[in-house]
Amino acid sequence: MSAEELLLLVVMALCLFSSASTSSNRWSTDAHATFYGDMGGHETMQGACGYGDLFEQGYGLNTTALSTVLFNNGLTCGACYDIMCYNSKESCLKGSVQVTATNFCPPNYSKPEENWCNPPLKHFDLSQPMFRKIAKYKAGVVPVLYRRIPCIKSGGIKFEIRGNRYWILVLVYNVGGAGDVINVKIKGSRTNWIQMSRNWGQNWQTAAELVGQSLSFQVTASDGKMVQSDNVCSDNWKFGDVCEGKNFPTGIYI
Protein backbone atom coordinates (compact mmCIF):
# COMPACT_ATOMS: atom_id res chain seq x y z
CA MET A 1 0.00 0.00 0.00
CA SER A 2 1.38 3.37 -0.98
CA ALA A 3 1.74 6.30 1.40
CA GLU A 4 -1.01 8.13 -0.50
CA GLU A 5 -3.43 5.18 -0.14
CA LEU A 6 -2.64 4.86 3.57
CA LEU A 7 -3.25 8.58 4.10
CA LEU A 8 -6.60 8.30 2.29
CA LEU A 9 -7.68 5.42 4.55
CA VAL A 10 -6.74 7.40 7.67
CA VAL A 11 -8.72 10.44 6.49
CA MET A 12 -11.76 8.27 5.70
CA ALA A 13 -11.59 6.64 9.14
CA LEU A 14 -11.42 10.01 10.85
CA CYS A 15 -14.40 11.23 8.85
CA LEU A 16 -16.44 8.17 9.80
CA PHE A 17 -15.48 8.58 13.47
CA SER A 18 -16.42 12.25 13.39
CA SER A 19 -19.75 11.47 11.74
CA ALA A 20 -20.58 8.78 14.30
CA SER A 21 -19.62 11.01 17.18
CA THR A 22 -21.65 13.98 16.04
CA SER A 23 -24.69 11.91 15.11
CA SER A 24 -24.87 10.48 18.63
CA ASN A 25 -24.33 13.89 20.22
CA ARG A 26 -26.54 16.11 18.11
CA TRP A 27 -27.62 19.46 19.46
CA SER A 28 -31.30 19.77 20.41
CA THR A 29 -33.11 23.10 20.25
CA ASP A 30 -36.29 22.45 22.26
CA ALA A 31 -35.24 23.80 25.68
CA HIS A 32 -34.73 26.95 27.72
CA ALA A 33 -32.53 27.80 30.71
CA THR A 34 -32.86 29.92 33.84
CA PHE A 35 -30.63 30.15 36.91
CA TYR A 36 -30.78 29.76 40.68
CA GLY A 37 -28.66 30.89 43.61
CA ASP A 38 -25.92 33.51 43.75
CA MET A 39 -22.48 33.71 42.16
CA GLY A 40 -20.81 32.02 45.13
CA GLY A 41 -22.99 28.95 45.00
CA HIS A 42 -24.45 29.56 48.46
CA GLU A 43 -27.81 28.28 47.29
CA THR A 44 -26.45 25.38 45.28
CA MET A 45 -29.24 22.83 44.92
CA GLN A 46 -28.63 19.35 46.27
CA GLY A 47 -31.94 17.64 46.98
CA ALA A 48 -33.69 15.36 44.53
CA CYS A 49 -30.72 13.27 43.38
CA GLY A 50 -29.53 12.52 46.89
CA TYR A 51 -26.13 14.15 46.53
CA GLY A 52 -24.68 15.91 49.56
CA ASP A 53 -22.19 18.80 49.50
CA LEU A 54 -21.73 19.38 45.79
CA PHE A 55 -18.36 21.03 46.31
CA GLU A 56 -16.96 18.18 48.41
CA GLN A 57 -18.33 15.62 45.96
CA GLY A 58 -16.64 17.29 43.00
CA TYR A 59 -19.65 18.78 41.21
CA GLY A 60 -19.06 22.36 42.36
CA LEU A 61 -20.97 25.01 40.43
CA ASN A 62 -21.05 23.06 37.15
CA THR A 63 -24.56 21.85 37.90
CA THR A 64 -28.12 22.03 36.68
CA ALA A 65 -31.58 21.05 37.83
CA LEU A 66 -33.81 19.38 35.23
CA SER A 67 -37.49 19.81 34.46
CA THR A 68 -39.86 16.85 34.86
CA VAL A 69 -39.40 15.55 31.31
CA LEU A 70 -35.60 15.55 31.44
CA PHE A 71 -35.35 14.44 35.09
CA ASN A 72 -37.20 11.19 34.36
CA ASN A 73 -38.07 10.53 38.00
CA GLY A 74 -34.40 10.77 38.99
CA LEU A 75 -33.01 8.30 36.47
CA THR A 76 -31.12 11.13 34.73
CA CYS A 77 -29.28 12.18 37.90
CA GLY A 78 -25.55 12.30 37.14
CA ALA A 79 -25.92 12.81 33.38
CA CYS A 80 -23.80 15.53 31.79
CA TYR A 81 -24.83 18.17 29.26
CA ASP A 82 -23.19 20.71 27.00
CA ILE A 83 -25.40 23.82 26.89
CA MET A 84 -25.21 27.08 24.94
CA CYS A 85 -27.50 30.06 24.50
CA TYR A 86 -28.85 30.61 20.98
CA ASN A 87 -31.29 32.61 18.89
CA SER A 88 -31.16 35.69 21.10
CA LYS A 89 -28.63 38.32 20.02
CA GLU A 90 -29.59 40.57 22.92
CA SER A 91 -28.99 37.94 25.59
CA CYS A 92 -26.55 35.30 24.36
CA LEU A 93 -22.81 35.15 25.03
CA LYS A 94 -20.34 33.04 23.10
CA GLY A 95 -19.37 29.57 24.23
CA SER A 96 -21.01 26.74 26.14
CA VAL A 97 -20.94 25.21 29.62
CA GLN A 98 -20.61 21.58 30.66
CA VAL A 99 -22.78 20.67 33.65
CA THR A 100 -23.95 17.64 35.63
CA ALA A 101 -27.61 17.04 36.46
CA THR A 102 -27.80 17.15 40.27
CA ASN A 103 -31.39 18.13 41.05
CA PHE A 104 -35.02 18.47 40.00
CA CYS A 105 -36.70 21.69 38.91
CA PRO A 106 -40.26 21.20 40.21
CA PRO A 107 -43.35 22.21 38.26
CA ASN A 108 -45.75 24.86 39.56
CA TYR A 109 -49.21 24.03 38.31
CA SER A 110 -50.79 26.98 40.11
CA LYS A 111 -48.91 29.38 37.83
CA PRO A 112 -48.25 27.42 34.62
CA GLU A 113 -47.54 30.56 32.61
CA GLU A 114 -44.68 31.48 34.98
CA ASN A 115 -42.95 28.14 35.41
CA TRP A 116 -40.56 26.82 32.76
CA CYS A 117 -40.26 23.45 34.52
CA ASN A 118 -43.87 22.39 33.96
CA PRO A 119 -44.41 19.38 31.67
CA PRO A 120 -43.97 18.96 28.79
CA LEU A 121 -41.25 21.64 28.71
CA LYS A 122 -37.57 20.69 28.58
CA HIS A 123 -35.71 23.04 30.85
CA PHE A 124 -32.36 23.55 32.61
CA ASP A 125 -32.16 25.54 35.84
CA LEU A 126 -28.45 26.30 35.93
CA SER A 127 -26.34 27.59 38.80
CA GLN A 128 -25.99 31.35 38.32
CA PRO A 129 -22.27 31.24 37.41
CA MET A 130 -23.01 28.72 34.62
CA PHE A 131 -25.93 30.76 33.28
CA ARG A 132 -23.86 33.94 33.19
CA LYS A 133 -21.18 32.21 31.12
CA ILE A 134 -23.66 31.71 28.28
CA ALA A 135 -26.12 34.59 28.71
CA LYS A 136 -26.50 38.03 30.25
CA TYR A 137 -27.81 38.16 33.80
CA LYS A 138 -30.72 40.48 32.92
CA ALA A 139 -32.10 37.98 30.41
CA GLY A 140 -33.41 35.69 33.16
CA VAL A 141 -34.45 32.98 30.71
CA VAL A 142 -32.98 32.10 27.31
CA PRO A 143 -33.47 29.47 24.60
CA VAL A 144 -30.60 26.98 24.54
CA LEU A 145 -28.97 24.32 22.44
CA TYR A 146 -28.09 21.23 24.45
CA ARG A 147 -26.63 17.75 24.02
CA ARG A 148 -25.62 14.83 26.23
CA ILE A 149 -21.87 14.43 26.62
CA PRO A 150 -19.62 11.97 28.47
CA CYS A 151 -18.99 12.96 32.09
CA ILE A 152 -15.36 13.68 32.91
CA LYS A 153 -14.76 12.98 36.60
CA SER A 154 -11.64 12.92 38.73
CA GLY A 155 -11.01 9.66 40.57
CA GLY A 156 -13.30 6.68 40.88
CA ILE A 157 -17.00 6.13 41.48
CA LYS A 158 -17.88 6.92 45.09
CA PHE A 159 -20.13 4.77 47.27
CA GLU A 160 -21.45 6.41 50.44
CA ILE A 161 -22.84 3.79 52.84
CA ARG A 162 -25.89 4.75 54.90
CA GLY A 163 -28.72 2.98 56.71
CA ASN A 164 -28.46 0.34 59.43
CA ARG A 165 -27.56 -3.30 59.94
CA TYR A 166 -30.78 -4.50 58.34
CA TRP A 167 -31.15 -1.94 55.55
CA ILE A 168 -28.25 -0.53 53.55
CA LEU A 169 -28.62 2.57 51.39
CA VAL A 170 -25.77 3.41 49.03
CA LEU A 171 -25.39 6.80 47.34
CA VAL A 172 -23.56 6.37 44.02
CA TYR A 173 -21.84 9.52 42.73
CA ASN A 174 -18.88 10.91 40.78
CA VAL A 175 -19.77 8.63 37.89
CA GLY A 176 -17.85 9.14 34.63
CA GLY A 177 -18.86 8.13 31.13
CA ALA A 178 -22.64 8.24 30.64
CA GLY A 179 -22.96 9.51 34.21
CA ASP A 180 -26.48 8.30 34.98
CA VAL A 181 -26.75 4.90 36.66
CA ILE A 182 -29.54 2.43 35.84
CA ASN A 183 -28.48 -0.63 37.83
CA VAL A 184 -26.36 -1.47 40.89
CA LYS A 185 -25.41 -4.82 42.41
CA ILE A 186 -23.58 -5.36 45.68
CA LYS A 187 -21.58 -8.33 46.93
CA GLY A 188 -20.32 -9.13 50.38
CA SER A 189 -17.21 -11.23 50.87
CA ARG A 190 -19.49 -14.08 51.99
CA THR A 191 -22.36 -13.61 49.49
CA ASN A 192 -23.10 -13.81 45.79
CA TRP A 193 -24.05 -10.73 43.81
CA ILE A 194 -27.18 -9.10 45.21
CA GLN A 195 -29.48 -6.96 43.08
CA MET A 196 -30.10 -3.52 44.62
CA SER A 197 -33.21 -1.44 43.95
CA ARG A 198 -33.26 2.31 43.40
CA ASN A 199 -34.80 4.13 46.36
CA TRP A 200 -34.66 7.69 44.98
CA GLY A 201 -32.25 9.78 42.94
CA GLN A 202 -29.01 7.80 42.89
CA ASN A 203 -29.61 6.08 46.22
CA TRP A 204 -29.69 2.29 45.95
CA GLN A 205 -30.87 -0.09 48.68
CA THR A 206 -30.77 -3.68 49.90
CA ALA A 207 -32.07 -5.51 52.97
CA ALA A 208 -29.13 -7.94 52.94
CA GLU A 209 -27.09 -8.08 56.15
CA LEU A 210 -23.55 -7.21 55.06
CA VAL A 211 -21.98 -5.70 58.18
CA GLY A 212 -18.55 -7.22 58.80
CA GLN A 213 -17.99 -8.15 55.16
CA SER A 214 -15.92 -6.39 52.53
CA LEU A 215 -18.10 -4.93 49.77
CA SER A 216 -17.88 -5.03 45.99
CA PHE A 217 -20.12 -3.24 43.47
CA GLN A 218 -21.25 -3.58 39.88
CA VAL A 219 -22.51 -0.30 38.38
CA THR A 220 -24.31 -0.17 35.03
CA ALA A 221 -24.80 3.17 33.28
CA SER A 222 -27.55 4.22 30.86
CA ASP A 223 -25.39 3.34 27.85
CA GLY A 224 -25.33 -0.31 29.01
CA LYS A 225 -21.68 -0.28 30.09
CA MET A 226 -20.82 -1.90 33.43
CA VAL A 227 -17.85 -1.43 35.71
CA GLN A 228 -17.03 -3.76 38.60
CA SER A 229 -15.19 -2.67 41.73
CA ASP A 230 -14.01 -5.53 43.94
CA ASN A 231 -13.60 -5.24 47.71
CA VAL A 232 -13.62 -1.43 47.67
CA CYS A 233 -15.03 -1.27 51.21
CA SER A 234 -12.96 -3.20 53.75
CA ASP A 235 -14.67 -5.59 56.17
CA ASN A 236 -14.55 -2.98 58.95
CA TRP A 237 -16.50 -0.31 57.04
CA LYS A 238 -18.93 1.84 59.03
CA PHE A 239 -22.14 3.64 58.13
CA GLY A 240 -21.19 7.06 56.80
CA ASP A 241 -18.04 5.77 55.11
CA VAL A 242 -17.31 6.61 51.47
CA CYS A 243 -15.60 3.93 49.39
CA GLU A 244 -14.02 4.56 46.01
CA GLY A 245 -14.13 2.13 43.09
CA LYS A 246 -13.26 2.08 39.43
CA ASN A 247 -14.77 4.56 36.99
CA PHE A 248 -15.99 4.49 33.42
CA PRO A 249 -13.80 5.86 30.62
CA THR A 250 -14.93 9.34 29.66
CA GLY A 251 -14.80 8.88 25.90
CA ILE A 252 -14.60 11.60 23.26
CA TYR A 253 -17.21 13.97 21.92
CA ILE A 254 -17.04 16.40 19.02
Side-chain angles (χ1 to χ4, degrees), residues 53 55 73 116 231:
D53 187 313
F55 291 93
N73 197 33
W116 288 93
N231 301 311

PDB file of all heavy atoms in Angstrom, residues 53 55 73 116 231:
ATOM      1  N   ASP A  53     -22.887  17.549  49.791  1.00  0.00           N
ATOM      2  CA  ASP A  53     -22.188  18.798  49.505  1.00  0.00           C
ATOM      3  C   ASP A  53     -21.596  18.711  48.104  1.00  0.00           C
ATOM      4  O   ASP A  53     -20.663  17.946  47.848  1.00  0.00           O
ATOM      5  CB  ASP A  53     -21.083  19.017  50.540  1.00  0.00           C
ATOM      6  CG  ASP A  53     -20.429  20.383  50.418  1.00  0.00           C
ATOM      7  OD1 ASP A  53     -20.083  20.775  49.281  1.00  0.00           O
ATOM      8  OD2 ASP A  53     -20.253  21.050  51.443  1.00  0.00           O
ATOM      9  N   PHE A  55     -19.755  20.631  46.432  1.00  0.00           N
ATOM     10  CA  PHE A  55     -18.357  21.028  46.305  1.00  0.00           C
ATOM     11  C   PHE A  55     -17.448  19.890  46.764  1.00  0.00           C
ATOM     12  O   PHE A  55     -16.479  19.534  46.092  1.00  0.00           O
ATOM     13  CB  PHE A  55     -18.084  22.307  47.097  1.00  0.00           C
ATOM     14  CG  PHE A  55     -18.742  23.522  46.517  1.00  0.00           C
ATOM     15  CD1 PHE A  55     -19.997  23.925  46.945  1.00  0.00           C
ATOM     16  CD2 PHE A  55     -18.131  24.249  45.507  1.00  0.00           C
ATOM     17  CE1 PHE A  55     -20.624  25.031  46.402  1.00  0.00           C
ATOM     18  CE2 PHE A  55     -18.739  25.359  44.946  1.00  0.00           C
ATOM     19  CZ  PHE A  55     -19.995  25.750  45.398  1.00  0.00           C
ATOM     20  N   ASN A  73     -37.897  11.118  36.673  1.00  0.00           N
ATOM     21  CA  ASN A  73     -38.066  10.528  37.999  1.00  0.00           C
ATOM     22  C   ASN A  73     -36.733  10.204  38.683  1.00  0.00           C
ATOM     23  O   ASN A  73     -36.641   9.274  39.488  1.00  0.00           O
ATOM     24  CB  ASN A  73     -38.942   9.271  37.932  1.00  0.00           C
ATOM     25  CG  ASN A  73     -39.486   8.869  39.297  1.00  0.00           C
ATOM     26  OD1 ASN A  73     -39.755   9.710  40.150  1.00  0.00           O
ATOM     27  ND2 ASN A  73     -39.622   7.565  39.518  1.00  0.00           N
ATOM     28  N   TRP A 116     -41.170  27.465  33.920  1.00  0.00           N
ATOM     29  CA  TRP A 116     -40.563  26.817  32.762  1.00  0.00           C
ATOM     30  C   TRP A 116     -40.342  25.331  32.990  1.00  0.00           C
ATOM     31  O   TRP A 116     -39.988  24.605  32.065  1.00  0.00           O
ATOM     32  CB  TRP A 116     -39.241  27.499  32.430  1.00  0.00           C
ATOM     33  CG  TRP A 116     -39.422  28.857  31.841  1.00  0.00           C
ATOM     34  CD1 TRP A 116     -39.448  30.048  32.502  1.00  0.00           C
ATOM     35  CD2 TRP A 116     -39.632  29.167  30.469  1.00  0.00           C
ATOM     36  NE1 TRP A 116     -39.652  31.083  31.637  1.00  0.00           N
ATOM     37  CE2 TRP A 116     -39.763  30.577  30.367  1.00  0.00           C
ATOM     38  CE3 TRP A 116     -39.708  28.409  29.302  1.00  0.00           C
ATOM     39  CZ2 TRP A 116     -39.972  31.218  29.152  1.00  0.00           C
ATOM     40  CZ3 TRP A 116     -39.914  29.058  28.090  1.00  0.00           C
ATOM     41  CH2 TRP A 116     -40.049  30.440  28.022  1.00  0.00           C
ATOM     42  N   ASN A 231     -14.098  -5.450  46.352  1.00  0.00           N
ATOM     43  CA  ASN A 231     -13.599  -5.242  47.715  1.00  0.00           C
ATOM     44  C   ASN A 231     -13.154  -3.800  47.961  1.00  0.00           C
ATOM     45  O   ASN A 231     -12.103  -3.548  48.554  1.00  0.00           O
ATOM     46  CB  ASN A 231     -12.442  -6.210  47.999  1.00  0.00           C
ATOM     47  CG  ASN A 231     -12.857  -7.664  47.849  1.00  0.00           C
ATOM     48  OD1 ASN A 231     -13.875  -8.082  48.386  1.00  0.00           O
ATOM     49  ND2 ASN A 231     -12.073  -8.420  47.109  1.00  0.00           N
TER      50      ASN A 231
END
